[in-house]
Amino acid sequence: MLGFRGDVAVITIDNPPVNAGSAKVRAGLLEALGALGDRNGIKVAIIIGAGKTFMAGSDIREFGAPLSDPQLPAVIAAIEACPVPVIAAIHGAALGGGFELALGCDYRIAQPGARIGLPEVGLGLVPGAGGTQRLPRLVGMEAALELVVSAKRIDAQRGYDLGAIDALSDGDILDDALAFADTGLAKRPLHAMAIAPFEHAAVKSLSAKLIAKAKGRPAAEKAAHLTLQSLEHDLRDGLEIERAVFQDIRITPEAFAYRYQFFAERQASKNPFDAQAKTIAAVAVVGLGTMGAGIAYCFLRAGYKVIGIEGDQDLLDTGLGRIDALIEKDIAASRITPEAAQSMRENLLGNASIEAAKDADLALEAIFEDLAVKRDLLGRLSAVLSPDALIATNTSYLDIDAMAEAVSHPERFFGLHFFSPAHIMSLLEIVSSTSSSAGAIASGFAIARKLGKQPVFARNSYGFIGNRIYAAYRRQAEFLLEDGAEPPEIDAAMIGFGMALGPFAVSDLSGLDIAWRMRQAQAASRDPKARYVRIADQLCEAGRLGRKTGAGFYDYPNGKPVASPIVTEIIDAERRARAITPRTIGSHEIQARCFGAMVNEAVLLLEEGVALRGSDIDVVLVHGYGFPRWLGGPMWHAAHMEPAALDSAIDLAAQAEGVTFRRGDAATALATLKNQN
Ligand code: COA
């Protein structure tokens, strides 16, 4: 849309909700730039976004198919060829293609809080419209490398400090851009600008460091290479090389998987029910162990008032100390300012009595995993709180319908399952009991948004979505142990598959005792025909509870995991007791069995309605369990592999488990994902 304010042309991008740069937007920009030439007396042009943002990026939906003309480089070329200086006036966000559009302008003015950056590497891509070539010319090689390879978003204030933004606007962005336009601007083509001198060795080592840090992001190395190449070519050649790499990479399976995750995350973030969220100002967190303290800190960071409650004064002091340590750590790392820390401390009250929860709008229990103890606490909380206050549990696997029975007005009760460490992990399962109201669930989604967490809806089930799939995976890994594979072989195979850590390294890290307690609680109801591996129980009985006891599936002589002769002995004895002749199991079989077990459990969760959609399951596994994002998630990966290979993986998992294996209908569950790209 083209308008005029005196001798300034104002081109407005208007494509709600985030002004994504679609083919229509690009055509509109080109048309407006072309029309400028027909009007005499125009001195400057401003490109601005309507609504809440400048431009959130190119339209990601278009990247899977041949791109329609005009493409972004043509729009930027028209800006450069435009006879008058062009200003990008940025509010909200200028990301990816949006930032590249702004970099193609002669000047950039922005509101200090606007988010700018090149998130492409985080989407399995490289910038394709000059980001890697123009940015080094503006901000220098080191800052450009950092922004491109880490895909970090920064605010415009920082962009101004780096030289990417020419002026800041603390008022109305259009008014300030018009005032800026009146400062006698001249055309300022970037191709004439040289990259500031820098220390080559330092840049090389920075690049290697950034690539290593971007582990699991296949585009990082290419993006670093392109940025470094900007030195060797003039801008025009550099742009061509960059475009060619972008065109290749955007249709790789990894890029499809990344884009799928992007939309899966947004889909999962939507409250599935049509209901109003309750306004929540004060939150009581009952239980300030590692988990509870981390959760309390999440709420404090998001500006809530928090009442931290523990059973007695000593426990309370320790719990409040844990929260304080988290605050101190974030101050030390400059993640929060001392002023923000001060206001968090003012918002935190500690109390050794549950009565202190009475004014809370939400009470969340994070005490240890024991159904009877939790039910008792929930009953007492119900009596203390006002009847319309919400009550949530952070249980990671217990039956929340059984907990709801202890709550008066059980419609206000639901699960908020945080992952450990709660202040770092993004995932939050929002769990509905059979009596949770739509309003309670809506409130869970509103809380997740305020906390900056990735919510996923789940219905009650043993372990909800994530822990149930993970338990199936871990069981299969234990069958492999009995059948002949050693812990380091299984861990290495799963890292080879793409998991962030192997299953036994994870067990050692999180502690073997939680799963042990879970198995003990299940013992009475376990099907006697079920294949049950006793190795982990025996490690626990021997006091090997994982890293915290210095030994688990591995020994940790110098803090690093090494294979343990004691564990080998325990495994050998179990194999003998079961009359299993151990055989060598290759990494392919390990990966197939573990993956087959995961997918089958995921399919069952869908069939039972525990998960609403396959993509929600993928969000859970990628965000909470180290499943590789470049494979999209177990459901996406299963839907895009050879059907025969998937069947055979599930067959192998089924054979290992034996008669109790319940097979889901994978073909039906995966059908919608198969046709998606
Ligand atoms: N292309 C296509 N659609 C996009 C998009 C893009 N670049 N960016 C956002 N959207 C869509 C979302 O899918 C969502 O659609 P829906 O409502 O149908 O689900 C809608 O715009 C709103 O996005 P959402 O992320 O929920 O809004 P927000 O206000 O929380 O965040 C942003 C706004 C800009 C910070 C965020 O959308 C974002 O990070 N976008 C991607 C930026 C990016 O990676 N750009 C580089 C592309 S090369």
Side-chain angles (χ1 to χ4, degrees):
M1 195 166 64
L2 177 61
F4 296 94
R5 297 283 283 265
D7 53 9
V8 178
V10 179
I11 302 171
T12 308
I13 304 164
D14 191 2
N15 182 26
V18 293
N19 291 333
S22 62
K24 211 166 142 211
V25 166
R26 296 192 298 270
L29 281 167
L30 209 53
E31 192 185 320
L33 287 161
L36 282 185
D38 304 335
R39 190 147 165 153
N40 287 333
I42 294 298
K43 292 210 180 80
V44 178
I46 294 173
I47 300 181
I48 194 165
K52 64 176 185 176
T53 202
F54 178 73
M55 189 194 267
S58 299
D59 190 335
I60 299 171
R61 274 170 237 270
E62 292 184 353
F63 287 162
L67 296 177
S68 347
D69 288 330
Q71 297 185 21
L72 189 53
V75 176
I76 294 174
I79 292 173
E80 289 182 329
C82 180
V84 298
V86 182
I87 303 171
I90 302 169
H91 72 302
L95 297 166
F99 190 43
E100 290 179 304
L101 179 75
L103 290 175
C105 294
D106 298 278
Y107 298 92
R108 288 149 292 280
I109 178 169
Q111 290 184 337
R115 308 295 288 169
I116 59 173
L118 294 168
E120 283 86 346
V121 165
L123 281 166
L125 301 169
V126 296
T132 66
Q133 305 301 300
R134 290 193 176 91
L135 197 56
R137 288 177 160 81
L138 271 180
V139 303
M141 187 53 83
E142 298 198 8
L145 260 179
E146 175 119 32
L147 284 171
V148 171
V149 183
S150 74
K152 203 157 63 185
R153 299 160 186 220
I154 56 172
D155 59 35
Q157 173 69 56
R158 171 97 184 106
Y160 177 75
D161 298 341
L162 289 172
I165 300 294
D166 302 290
L168 293 171
S169 148
D170 46 17
D172 179 79
I173 181 72
L174 180 56
D175 288 348
D176 288 344
L178 287 166
F180 184 62
D182 206 23
T183 55
L185 303 175
K187 200 73 189 157
R188 195 177 59 164
L190 255 185
H191 51 255
M193 206 181 270
I195 298 170
F198 56 86
E199 183 68 51
H200 283 255
V203 159
K204 235 175 127 189
S205 100
L206 173 68
S207 166
K209 214 166 81 193
L210 290 166
I211 292 169
K213 219 167 144 191
K215 193 171 128 231
R217 290 180 161 184
E221 198 166 347
K222 285 201 168 74
H225 193 61
L226 284 170
T227 311
L228 290 168
Q229 258 186 356
S230 62
L231 278 177
E232 295 161 20
H233 303 281
D234 65 19
L235 184 60
R236 206 174 35 182
D237 289 349
L239 290 175
E240 258 176 43
I241 296 169
E242 181 201 62
R243 189 69 182 169
V245 175
F246 166 78
Q247 294 287 24
D248 280 347
I249 207 168
R250 72 180 173 81
I251 47 171
T252 55
E254 291 83 11
F256 277 104
Y258 268 94
R259 286 195 289 273
Y260 158 75
Q261 262 289 327
F262 176 86
F263 291 111
E265 287 164 0
R266 273 145 190 89
Q267 171 86 302
S269 301
K270 294 194 166 98
N271 168 26
F273 303 114
D274 183 17
Q276 203 58 31
K278 181 182 164 62
T279 305
I280 292 168
V283 180
V285 178
V286 186
L288 299 178
T290 309
M291 201 64 199
I295 294 171
Y297 183 51
C298 291
F299 279 102
L300 286 171
R301 227 171 23 188
Y304 290 92
K305 286 194 181 315
V306 171
I307 307 149
I309 298 176
E310 260 297 359
D312 63 38
Q313 192 60 42
D314 279 353
L315 288 170
L316 179 64
D317 291 343
T318 313
L320 294 175
R322 284 191 183 105
I323 299 174
D324 209 59
L326 293 173
I327 295 177
E328 285 298 330
K329 209 168 158 193
D330 273 0
I331 299 177
S334 305
R335 282 189 286 266
I336 56 171
T337 60
E339 296 75 44
Q342 178 58 26
S343 94
M344 284 188 221
R345 288 187 169 118
E346 284 162 13
N347 277 339
L348 173 64
L349 287 175
N351 207 300
S353 160
I354 200 174
E355 294 293 324
K358 69 179 184 342
D359 296 324
D361 307 299
L362 163 74
L364 186 145
E365 72 76 18
I367 63 170
F368 66 98
E369 295 283 53
D370 181 301
L371 185 58
V373 180
K374 283 193 192 265
R375 279 169 58 110
D376 173 63
L377 171 66
L378 291 169
R380 289 188 289 131
L381 269 177
S382 301
V384 168
L385 289 161
S386 90
D388 65 341
L390 297 170
I391 305 183
T393 171
N394 177 52
T395 183
S396 56
Y397 62 92
L398 292 173
D399 180 350
I400 80 160
D401 285 329
M403 282 187 215
E405 289 165 4
V407 177
S408 65
H409 306 288
E411 65 282 357
R412 60 175 160 162
F413 175 68
F414 64 110
L416 276 180
H417 178 210
F418 288 78
F419 288 70
S420 181
H423 62 293
I424 291 174
M425 296 289 284
S426 60
L427 186 62
L428 184 62
E429 283 181 324
I430 297 182
V431 190
S432 178
S433 80
T434 47
S435 41
S436 302
S437 68
I441 299 303
S443 306
F445 276 85
I447 290 166
R449 183 149 188 109
K450 208 162 157 196
L451 298 185
K453 298 282 181 199
Q454 171 62 60
V456 176
F457 176 79
R459 291 206 172 81
N460 190 26
S461 161
Y462 198 86
F464 317 126
I465 296 177
N467 278 344
R468 204 172 122 184
I469 295 177
Y470 200 79
Y473 164 43
R474 212 192 39 237
R475 272 199 309 275
Q476 190 63 228
E478 290 178 1
F479 299 154
L480 284 158
L481 271 189
E482 263 191 358
D483 293 343
E486 305 302 325
E489 290 171 338
I490 299 170
D491 279 355
M494 293 318 290
I495 287 174
F497 174 83
M499 300 298 286
L501 279 176
F504 298 113
V506 170
S507 291
D508 277 3
L509 209 59
S510 49
L512 271 62
D513 43 336
I514 300 175
W516 188 27
R517 260 204 309 275
M518 264 165 74
R519 290 192 299 274
Q520 284 169 336
Q522 275 181 318
S525 58
R526 188 176 302 118
D527 184 340
K529 292 193 290 299
R531 180 174 179 186
Y532 184 79
V533 178
R534 294 179 301 200
I535 295 165
D537 292 349
Q538 290 174 4
L539 295 180
C540 292
E541 284 155 19
R544 301 180 66 98
L545 302 182
R547 275 186 178 237
K548 61 185 170 189
T549 57
F553 280 98
Y554 295 93
D555 286 336
Y556 294 88
N558 300 310
K560 295 247 176 286
V562 296
S564 160
I566 302 174
V567 175
T568 309
E569 222 168 87
I570 291 176
I571 297 172
D572 281 345
E574 272 307 291
R575 287 173 184 156
R576 282 195 301 275
R578 305 271 177 170
I580 294 172
T581 310
R583 63 183 173 88
T584 306
I585 304 179
S587 60
H588 184 74
E589 181 179 337
I590 294 172
Q591 292 167 354
R593 279 169 60 173
C594 288
F595 182 65
M598 273 190 231
V599 174
N600 186 64
E601 201 66 28
V603 170
L604 293 176
L605 284 172
L606 265 186
E607 289 174 355
E608 294 165 21
V610 174
L612 292 179
R613 18 182 131 76
S615 59
D616 283 3
I617 295 175
D618 286 341
V619 171
V620 169
L621 269 287
V622 167
H623 278 261
Y625 296 85
F627 193 95
R629 185 178 284 263
W630 47 269
L631 293 180
M635 299 296 272
W636 176 262
H637 183 50
H640 291 86
M641 67 197 278
E642 277 298 317
L646 176 65
D647 275 347
S648 131
I650 299 176
D651 286 346
L652 287 171
Q655 275 161 24
E657 178 163 338
V659 288
T660 52
F661 189 83
R662 194 155 59 89
R663 192 175 188 128
D665 176 359
T668 304
L670 298 171
T672 48
L673 289 179
K674 253 193 178 56
N675 303 324
Q676 207 175 309
N677 60 36

